[in-house]
Amino acid sequence: MTLVTVRYFAAAAEASGLEEERLELPDGTTIGALHELLSARYGTAMDRVLKSGSFLVDGTVRRDPAHPVGGAVDILPPFAGG
């Protein structure tokens, strides 16, 4: 098992009701599996954030659902620019 710190920002924090949590996940858990877990736990609002947002794994943006999670994952909603 791996202990992962998940931090939520903006709409992701709203959807989860948390700014941060620690999850004990099976070794080799992927971003795709984390997406499924968080969507099941926090519902459609979180699923929307995860579909359009970004996963920052140990400080690097990762988009491949097969990429393993690291020790820290930040859930970032899409950002508007101008």
Side-chain angles (χ1 to χ4, degrees), residues 48-81:
R48 280 193 297 273
V49 171
L50 296 174
K51 284 181 178 176
S52 58
S54 302
F55 289 86
L56 201 64
V57 178
D58 294 331
T60 302
V61 173
R62 301 292 181 188
R63 301 201 192 299
D64 180 1
H67 192 280
V69 298
V73 178
D74 295 343
I75 308 297
L76 307 171
F79 293 99

Side-chain angles (χ1 to χ4, degrees), residues 4-74:
V4 179
T5 300
V6 181
R7 297 188 308 168
Y8 303 99
F9 295 88
E14 245 179 71
S16 69
L18 303 168
E19 291 184 7
E20 179 177 307
E21 68 180 319
R22 296 183 69 134
L23 300 173
E24 192 169 0
L25 302 172
D27 293 337
T29 295
T30 63
I31 291 172
L34 180 61
H35 179 149
E36 288 177 23
L37 175 103
L38 296 176
S39 292
R41 182 177 283 188
Y42 299 116
T44 57
M46 179 61 81
D47 191 52
R48 280 193 297 273
V49 171
L50 296 174
K51 284 181 178 176
S52 58
S54 302
F55 289 86
L56 201 64
V57 178
D58 294 331
T60 302
V61 173
R62 301 292 181 188
R63 301 201 192 299
D64 180 1
H67 192 280
V69 298
V73 178
D74 295 343

